Amino acid sequence: MKDSNAIGTDRITLLHTFVRIVESGSLSAAAQQMQTSQPTVSRRLQTLEQLLGARLIQRTTHHMKLTDDGERCYQHARRLTEQWLLLEDDLHAVSDEPVGVLRVRAPHAFGQDQLIAPLGDYLRRYPLTRIEWSLNDPTPDFIADGIDCAIHVGDVTDPSVVAILLAEVPRIVVAAPDLLAQFPPVCQVEDLTRLPWLALSIFYSNEVILHAAHSGEHFQFPIVPRLSSDSLYAVRRAALDGLGVAMVSAWVVKEDLQAGRLQQLTPGWQAPPLPVYLLYPYASYYPARLRQFIALMREVMPRITGTQPPSRQPRPAP
């Protein structure tokens, strides 16, 4: 006979917990994503196994593996939880009011400076939602990390995700006046090759490619950077300290240019702008909180300070 407590347990919660365990890779990761404790997750798994009368996961100290029953249960559980969420949305969809937690990842610099205002708009527009806003430059493993969507700056090569082109970020070449005073004046784009360089390693590391604004002509040359970093803020700081020339997003140095702390070099030549994408995994169901966030990003991103409407074509669907 099944345990009466197990029978009375919310089965959707049990199935959802099981899906999170499988997709996150561990009980502790599932607990973190669900904002609960590991013992709670463990109890839910035990209850589900008791309810089904089957062992779903083989667990050792350092390893977790689905049993054959567990694999079948996972496939059913994913479909059932998606259908349940679809049912909830459908019954509450008179106004399509988003509810719940939206988990978003964004690049460090862009995410903490340029995107907070749109997040405020979203939260004011949909007061029943909450946002977990994590700043991390690499594209997430959406399932394992429990992320709903990501703002991504730069090209997208992963065909397994939906990629919506939202805007572009212009990039310019800048240097501190103290550094420029040590070298002959920069009059032609070729003069840039004589200067010491900094590198923003996630976008350029050993060569610089610039395009003429009017003719479309391009100029390409190698560099041996004095300092390389994956942080836009670190490269900006190094440029301010006169350590080298940098190719950076225009928005991050706007005030420095106005105050004369940095100077733009060869303004007729710029690096190709960086595309800004909204990424999320393919799924048969998307909750209202994600659908509305996508709509808001499409609306506001091209108008955010430091971005411009995209000039390139969206990435073809895979």
Side-chain angles (χ1 to χ4, degrees), residues 106-184:
H108 273 101
F110 201 60
Q112 79 182 63
D113 271 319
Q114 302 300 90
L115 297 177
I116 297 300
L119 291 186
D121 291 342
Y122 179 87
L123 291 171
R124 283 186 289 270
R125 192 178 298 184
Y126 306 114
L128 298 180
T129 62
R130 294 183 293 120
I131 292 178
E132 291 184 5
W133 186 245
S134 61
L135 301 179
N136 201 322
D137 289 298
T139 302
D141 182 334
F142 290 97
I143 301 302
D145 296 342
I147 301 298
D148 295 303
C149 63
I151 305 296
H152 176 83
V153 178
D155 290 323
V156 178
T157 57
D158 184 357
S160 68
V161 298
V162 182
I164 299 176
L165 181 59
L166 300 174
E168 291 178 343
V169 177
R171 291 188 293 167
I172 60 176
V173 178
V174 298
D178 289 346
L179 174 71
L180 296 175
Q182 303 172 36
F183 296 88

Side-chain angles (χ1 to χ4, degrees), residues 66-85:
L66 282 177
T67 64
D68 290 342
D69 288 334
E71 181 62 42
R72 289 194 294 273
C73 179
Y74 168 66
Q75 298 300 330
H76 287 293
R78 272 194 77 179
R79 289 193 294 270
L80 287 169
T81 52
E82 285 184 355
Q83 288 300 314
W84 177 259
L85 292 172

Side-chain angles (χ1 to χ4, degrees), residues 214-229:
H214 299 295
S215 68
E217 180 185 359
H218 81 277
F219 181 68
Q220 181 174 346
F221 59 95
I223 61 171
V224 180
R226 300 184 67 192
L227 180 146
S228 297
S229 175

Side-chain angles (χ1 to χ4, degrees), residues 41-317:
V41 169
S42 181
R43 284 194 300 271
R44 289 176 184 173
L45 175 59
Q46 292 171 6
T47 299
L48 182 61
E49 289 180 327
Q50 181 184 14
L51 187 65
L52 296 175
R55 188 67 175 267
L56 303 177
I57 295 177
Q58 295 287 353
R59 300 184 295 280
T60 65
T61 305
H62 303 292
H63 187 64
M64 186 186 82
K65 181 181 179 181
L66 282 177
T67 64
D68 290 342
D69 288 334
E71 181 62 42
R72 289 194 294 273
C73 179
Y74 168 66
Q75 298 300 330
H76 287 293
R78 272 194 77 179
R79 289 193 294 270
L80 287 169
T81 52
E82 285 184 355
Q83 288 300 314
W84 177 259
L85 292 172
L86 185 61
L87 172 61
E88 283 187 323
D89 255 16
D90 186 56
L91 293 178
H92 295 89
V94 175
S95 61
D96 203 28
E97 179 71 9
V99 298
V101 180
L102 182 70
R103 297 175 176 89
V104 188
R105 182 169 291 180
H108 273 101
F110 201 60
Q112 79 182 63
D113 271 319
Q114 302 300 90
L115 297 177
I116 297 300
L119 291 186
D121 291 342
Y122 179 87
L123 291 171
R124 283 186 289 270
R125 192 178 298 184
Y126 306 114
L128 298 180
T129 62
R130 294 183 293 120
I131 292 178
E132 291 184 5
W133 186 245
S134 61
L135 301 179
N136 201 322
D137 289 298
T139 302
D141 182 334
F142 290 97
I143 301 302
D145 296 342
I147 301 298
D148 295 303
C149 63
I151 305 296
H152 176 83
V153 178
D155 290 323
V156 178
T157 57
D158 184 357
S160 68
V161 298
V162 182
I164 299 176
L165 181 59
L166 300 174
E168 291 178 343
V169 177
R171 291 188 293 167
I172 60 176
V173 178
V174 298
D178 289 346
L179 174 71
L180 296 175
Q182 303 172 36
F183 296 88
V186 176
C187 300
Q188 305 293 330
V189 68
E190 291 82 5
D191 297 334
L192 295 175
T193 63
R194 302 195 305 261
L195 301 176
W197 273 81
L198 309 169
L200 183 57
S201 56
I202 54 177
F203 297 124
Y204 70 99
S205 56
N206 52 26
E207 70 175 4
V208 170
I209 301 174
L210 300 173
H211 292 270
H214 299 295
S215 68
E217 180 185 359
H218 81 277
F219 181 68
Q220 181 174 346
F221 59 95
I223 61 171
V224 180
R226 300 184 67 192
L227 180 146
S228 297
S229 175
D230 61 356
S231 167
L232 178 59
Y233 284 140
V235 171
R236 169 186 169 270
R237 183 69 259 175
L240 286 168
D241 289 346
L243 298 182
V245 181
M247 187 165 63
V248 297
S249 301
W251 67 266
V252 81
V253 294
K254 180 180 178 181
E255 294 181 0
D256 299 317
L257 294 172
Q258 292 173 344
R261 294 186 292 265
L262 291 173
Q263 294 180 16
Q264 181 178 358
L265 306 181
T266 59
W269 293 79
Q270 295 184 5
L274 295 173
V276 181
Y277 288 95
L278 180 67
L279 309 180
Y280 53 94
Y282 285 97
S284 59
Y285 162 80
Y286 298 111
R289 58 183 176 272
L290 177 57
R291 297 197 305 270
Q292 296 299 339
F293 184 78
I294 293 169
L296 179 67
M297 287 296 102
R298 283 180 178 272
E299 174 189 338
V300 305
M301 184 66 75
R303 302 200 304 267
I304 290 177
T305 301
T307 69
Q308 61 190 25
S311 57
R312 65 175 69 185
Q313 292 296 315
R315 189 189 71 172

